[in-house]
Amino acid sequence: MGKIIGVLTSGGDTPGSNAAIRALGKAAISNYGMQLIGFRDGFRGLMENHLVSLDNKMLSGILTLGGTILGTSREKPFSMNVNGKEKDMTNVIVENYHKNGLDALVCIGGNGTQKNAWHLAQQGLNIITLPKTIDNDVAGTDMTFGFDTAMGIATEAIDRLHSTASSHHRIIIVEIMGHKAGWLALGAGVAGGADVILIPEIPYHIEKIAESILERKAQGKSFSIIAIAEGAISQDFNIMYSELKEKIGKSKDEKTRKKLKQEREELDVLNTSNTIRLANRLQELTHLEARITILGHLQRGGVPSAADRLLATRLGTACAKFIQKEEFGVMIALKKNKILAVPLADVVGKTKKVPPGHQWIKSARRVGTCFGD
Ligand code: F6P
């Protein structure tokens, strides 16, 4: 008898998710005679036993579809909304895993999903994960699928913003997703030729940005495009974050830690309007008009790029092979163009940030891009 495999997608929907489900399913069914069960809406589906049998027919025609045919949610096994209250539903999930006779569960998602999957692995379940997120911030893999598609969409947006910025002699600030990492803004910013790129890894000084815009103006270029990552922070905010981090590290009692963590969350909320503050301040400093474009969920929508379909197919088919070999507690990753399994313990709790000396940053600086530092 072939193994019975469960699969779910969790966290923000990502182009390439269906390509990964298809690849896993087709390889598992045809190469190893396995059976595939899909759980709806992430870990919630496993808790509610809301499932669908994924046979060859179901897996057909989904390679090019955006989103996820299984649905998704950000629900955590240990903190689920049950009748309006947050409850630890780990036991119910473990029970349903066994009730369905699962030999393994494949969790497809970003950093949150890796953490939730690891939690279930620690309960003794056979867990294997695939890294999917447009943010490309999962540790242990060179690339996550979804990133290439989102980078393409953001690059096209920058291309289109060029003509309107140039016609009106304006500053256009385009806010790009990426959570606390700058991969998307950096990649799209370099590919789209943004004049200024602001990422969380390099806190910015508004005055330095204004200086570079005025320098461009002096050279006869009366418009500028700024690609800003949603998590980018100014130097002032960086100081406040660092001080809070230090205080949290030093605080001994739980009550103070809780209060400080709350303060950090409040700072996060305040930072969500940094693009607006940046636009207002740049208008004052440069006397140029500034406009903002927030790309938001556009970046997660639509058809996956060829590169994402390819990566998702490589990861999904390899996943079936690792299940057959019974290698669990791992994430299937891309490293130096090879697909391999990395221990989940090495992935969880980390965020893959852009290293300050990264090649993309170096190349951008060489063509005169300002990073606000
Ligand atoms: O993790 C993917 C992502 O799109 C981030 O870039 C962004 O910060 C977040 O999800 C938005 O989440 P939601 O769709 O839940 O608002």
Side-chain angles (χ1 to χ4, degrees), residues 11-14 74 133-135 137 177-180 184 230 296-297 300:
D13 72 303
T14 302
R74 293 197 186 274
T133 165
I134 64 162
D135 303 337
D137 61 349
M177 276 187 170
H179 199 46
K180 300 248 159 113
L184 257 187
E230 63 178 347
H297 293 82
R300 293 212 312 238

Side-chain angles (χ1 to χ4, degrees), residues 219-231:
Q219 290 163 6
K221 295 169 189 162
S222 60
F223 75 95
S224 289
I225 304 277
I226 303 179
I228 182 169
E230 63 178 347

Side-chain angles (χ1 to χ4, degrees), residues 207-219:
E207 292 71 20
K208 296 235 167 108
I209 302 168
E211 233 170 73
S212 85
I213 290 171
L214 290 174
E215 227 169 80
R216 274 175 59 77
K217 200 177 166 203
Q219 290 163 6

